[in-house]
DNA sequence: TTTCCACAGGAAGGTACGGTCT
DNA sequence: AGACCGTACCTTCCTGTGGAAA
């Protein structure tokens, strides 16, 4: 047998794949000029030694909120250094994903500011003590402090951390320094659900990041292509196609770049010299499948059972289905895997969580006196992917999709 | 215009669990 | 060891809701 390396070969398509990674920050941000100038106006006072207003940034995922923040802060640091401005700028950058309560964000801030040998645990401490430690660390830090809370909506109902941060200065917790908050969120309703006292102080300034249209996505993709790919490896039609797919879906630059990166990878493994529209279509399917799996992996066991029930109904072409009907199938699923069943009320919560995650599409219906009001649900993710996921897991009975031609 | 259906979903509270502190 | 803390996940109870039918 010929001894062939399992690794890929060098490629004539890609000169720098890192540029296509989700965490890559380009030096120049395209299609966000208005947002950049609004943002610059907000942080500008720092250069005069003043604290900027608190700001709330909102817009859907992949619209450049985080990238613009990094871009602006890089500029701030550079300006301060180049012009020898006498400002001590300290940035505390927290992603609230995974720290999903006020308490845990406070713990994260403390741990971020303390050394690795002096960390505190995620639970067990009285809340007031954690806040005391947090202010202690801020006081040690001093200067102009900017706390960036990315995905701030993850903190949920209790916004006490925001109250603490926004009032710390006036309540004398911060002895010698200035503190401003920049909150970033995909979810505008989070702003409206904040308690009034927090909303007024957190949202002194607001910047809205609108979804990118196909034209804007195209220029973002062109910028990345020029850096990542050899000229002969792609043409405008392919870029236009990726932009059109992403614009039609969510208008997210992250998604567009994701599809492009996967198309590049597929083209490389095909040993092609150029990225074709077929590569893009295959990449789009792959990205979709990955999304379904990623979401299902985060579900609790009962969340998964509920989704299995909806997937079964979908495979039988019996969707959209009422919550009550899904509950009936859900009980069978639980019976088959030997799990206890939850009440209908809890299953309703799981259904609405799946709707929020965009795995399900739910809709309220009302037939008045005849049948009252109810909610119907169907899969919002590709059925094949969900079926494949459940059929791969040994604890579930297989779903047979061959009897129906239904695909999304 | 009023009634009423069939549910959605908020509120409150329970339990288990993993953690700290004394 | 046991008091105390925050959280996840659940149940029970109950009020609110929109629109077809009376």
């Amino acid at each position: 047998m010929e001894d062939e390396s399992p690794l890929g070969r060098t490629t004539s398509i890609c000169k720098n794949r890192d540029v296509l990674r989700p965490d890559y920050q380009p030096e120049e941000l395209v299609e966000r000029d208005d947002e950049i100038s609004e943002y610059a106006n907000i942080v500008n006072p720092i250069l005069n030694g003043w604290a900027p207003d608190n700001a709330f940034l909102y817009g859907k995922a992949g619209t450049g909120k985080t990238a613009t923040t990094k871009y602006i802060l890089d500029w701030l640091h550079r300006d301060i250094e180049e012009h020898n401005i006498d400002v001590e700028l300290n940035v505390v950058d927290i992603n609230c994903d995974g720290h999903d309560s006020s308490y845990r964000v406070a713990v994260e801030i403390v741990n971020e500011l303390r050394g690795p040998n002096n960390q505190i645990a995620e639970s067990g401490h009285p809340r007031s003590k954690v806040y005391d430690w947090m202010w202690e660390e801020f006081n040690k830090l001093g200067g102009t402090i900017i706390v960036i809370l990315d995905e701030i909506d993850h903190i949920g109902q209790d916004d006490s951390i925001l109250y603490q941060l926004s009032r710390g200065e006036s309540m004398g917790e911060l002895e010698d320094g200035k503190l401003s908050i920049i909150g970033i969120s995909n979810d505008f309703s989070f702003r409206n659900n904040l308690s009034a006292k927090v909303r007024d102080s957190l949202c002194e300034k607001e910047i809205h990041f609108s979804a990118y249209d196909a034209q804007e996505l195209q220029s973002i993709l062109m910028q990345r292509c020029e850096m990542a790919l050899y000229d002969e490896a792609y043409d405008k039609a392919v870029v236009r196609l990726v932009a059109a797919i992403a614009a039609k879906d969510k208008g997210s630059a992250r998604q567009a770049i994701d599809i492009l990166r996967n198309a590049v990878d597929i083209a490389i493994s095909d040993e092609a010299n150029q990225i074709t529209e077929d590569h893009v279509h295959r990449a789009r399917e792959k990205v979709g499948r990955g999304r379904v799996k990623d979401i299902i992996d985060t579900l609790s066991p009962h969340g998964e059972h509920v989704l299995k029930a909806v997937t079964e109904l979908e495979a039988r072409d019996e969707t959209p289905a009422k919550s009550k009907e899904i509950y009936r199938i859900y009980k069978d699923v639980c019976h088959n895997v030997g799990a206890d069943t939850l009440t209908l009320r809890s299953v309703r919560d799981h259904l609405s969580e799946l709707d929020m995650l965009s795995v399900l599409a739910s809709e309220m219906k009302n037939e008045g006196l005849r049948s009252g009001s109810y909610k119907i649900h169907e899969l919002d993710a590709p059925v094949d992917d969900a079926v494949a996921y459940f059929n791969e897991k040994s604890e579930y009975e297989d779903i047979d999709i061959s009897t129906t031609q239904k695909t999304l």
Side-chain angles (χ1 to χ4, degrees):
Chain A
M1 206 174 102
E2 200 177 325
D3 202 14
E4 198 178 325
S5 160
L7 303 177
R9 282 150 285 279
T10 53
T11 166
S12 59
I13 291 182
C14 193
K15 56 185 174 189
N16 185 2
R17 190 179 175 281
D18 287 349
V19 172
L20 300 177
R21 287 168 57 96
D23 52 356
Y24 178 78
Q25 173 83 21
E27 271 182 39
E28 192 197 344
L29 274 187
V30 290
E31 303 294 348
R32 288 283 92 143
D33 294 350
D34 293 347
E35 288 81 359
I36 289 172
S37 99
E38 273 186 70
Y39 214 143
N41 285 336
I42 292 173
V43 299
N44 225 18
I46 294 174
L47 299 176
N48 294 309
W50 304 320
D53 286 337
N54 297 326
F56 182 65
L57 277 53
Y58 65 98
K60 291 196 173 147
T63 52
K65 302 179 294 296
T66 309
T68 308
T69 300
K70 278 191 185 144
Y71 178 82
I72 288 285
L73 288 172
D74 283 351
W75 268 109
L76 257 183
H77 285 298
R78 217 173 305 161
D79 271 11
I80 289 169
E81 197 173 318
E82 278 176 15
H83 299 107
N84 282 321
I85 298 170
D86 184 24
V87 170
E88 195 195 330
L89 176 63
N90 291 303
V91 177
V92 181
D93 190 357
I94 305 288
N95 189 320
C96 303
D97 184 19
H99 308 291
D100 32 17
S101 67
S102 276
Y103 181 88
R104 290 203 171 148
V105 170
V107 168
E108 180 61 15
I109 291 173
V110 171
N111 284 338
E112 176 93 9
L113 295 176
R114 285 186 174 185
N117 301 324
N118 202 13
Q119 304 272 296
I120 59 170
E122 268 199 0
S123 66
H125 309 287
R127 179 183 296 258
S128 58
K129 204 160 186 177
V130 175
Y131 286 143
D132 286 348
W133 288 331
M134 180 180 80
W135 287 114
E136 215 170 83
E137 294 305 320
F138 279 139
N139 279 318
K140 276 188 212 159
L141 198 62
T144 301
I145 302 167
I146 297 186
V147 179
I148 297 169
L149 299 171
D150 204 348
E151 307 200 44
I152 193 172
D153 44 297
H154 285 241
I155 67 166
Q157 300 279 311
D158 165 27
D159 54 18
S160 64
I161 180 71
L162 302 178
Y163 184 73
Q164 281 282 323
L165 290 172
S166 59
R167 298 296 165 96
E169 222 173 314
S170 57
M171 293 194 308
E173 301 280 9
L174 194 62
E175 289 149 13
D176 180 32
K178 312 173 189 81
L179 188 146
S180 301
I181 314 164
I182 295 176
I184 305 177
S185 173
N186 298 335
D187 179 6
F188 188 62
S189 66
F190 173 76
R191 175 199 181 281
N192 298 331
N193 293 336
L194 289 169
S195 53
K197 55 190 179 183
V198 168
R199 188 169 54 232
D200 290 347
S201 49
L202 172 66
C203 307
E204 287 171 330
K205 293 278 166 64
E206 293 179 353
I207 309 178
H208 170 62
F209 286 70
S210 52
Y212 294 107
D213 64 25
Q215 198 62 45
E216 290 167 335
L217 286 172
Q218 218 172 299
S219 28
I220 292 168
L221 289 168
M222 280 309 278
Q223 181 206 35
R224 296 293 175 103
C225 283
E226 280 162 19
M227 289 189 281
L229 307 175
Y230 294 110
D231 291 348
E232 314 75 47
Y234 66 100
D235 60 23
K236 271 199 166 169
V238 160
V239 174
R240 216 178 297 135
L241 177 62
V242 177
I245 290 171
K248 203 174 159 200
D249 190 359
K250 296 200 170 66
S252 149
R254 194 177 308 146
Q255 184 192 20
I257 293 166
D258 234 21
I259 295 173
L260 179 64
R261 187 182 59 255
N262 278 281
V264 168
D265 289 348
I266 292 169
I268 291 173
S269 76
D270 276 7
E271 296 181 39
N273 296 320
Q274 209 180 25
I275 302 157
T276 64
E277 297 195 1
D278 175 58
H279 294 139
V280 173
H281 287 300
R282 281 157 63 195
R284 174 204 202 172
E285 278 172 33
K286 192 175 162 206
V287 169
R289 265 200 304 281
R291 184 184 144 258
V292 170
K293 189 179 176 306
D294 288 350
I295 293 174
I296 301 178
D297 280 344
T298 66
L299 297 176
S300 63
H302 284 287
E304 212 176 288
H305 301 334
V306 171
L307 182 59
K308 167 80 163 37
V310 181
T311 308
E312 274 190 25
L313 284 165
E314 189 91 30
R316 287 189 226 152
D317 220 355
E318 288 176 23
T319 49
K322 284 188 177 189
S323 308
K324 221 175 167 180
E325 175 61 10
I326 294 169
Y327 185 58
R328 205 174 57 78
I329 307 295
Y330 156 83
K331 286 197 280 193
D332 291 343
V333 172
C334 288
H335 176 76
N336 289 337
V337 299
D340 292 338
T341 53
L342 303 181
T343 56
L344 177 58
R345 177 70 189 88
S346 296
V347 168
R348 275 207 294 269
D349 278 341
H350 282 295
L351 285 168
S352 90
E353 198 200 334
L354 291 166
D355 178 31
M356 233 171 56
L357 292 168
S358 299
V359 191
L360 295 189
S362 308
E363 194 192 343
M364 272 303 275
K365 287 278 179 189
N366 197 325
E367 289 179 46
L369 201 54
R370 198 158 61 94
S371 299
S373 61
Y374 54 90
K375 218 171 173 180
I376 53 171
H377 316 264
E378 64 184 328
L379 273 187
D380 195 20
V383 187
D384 308 5
D385 300 341
V387 169
Y389 177 87
F390 286 115
N391 285 355
E392 266 173 32
K393 291 196 112 180
S394 53
E395 68 258 42
Y396 290 114
E397 284 189 351
D398 278 4
I399 302 171
D400 184 11
I401 201 172
S402 60
T403 52
T404 155
Q405 59 293 64
K406 184 160 184 165
T407 45
L408 288 179

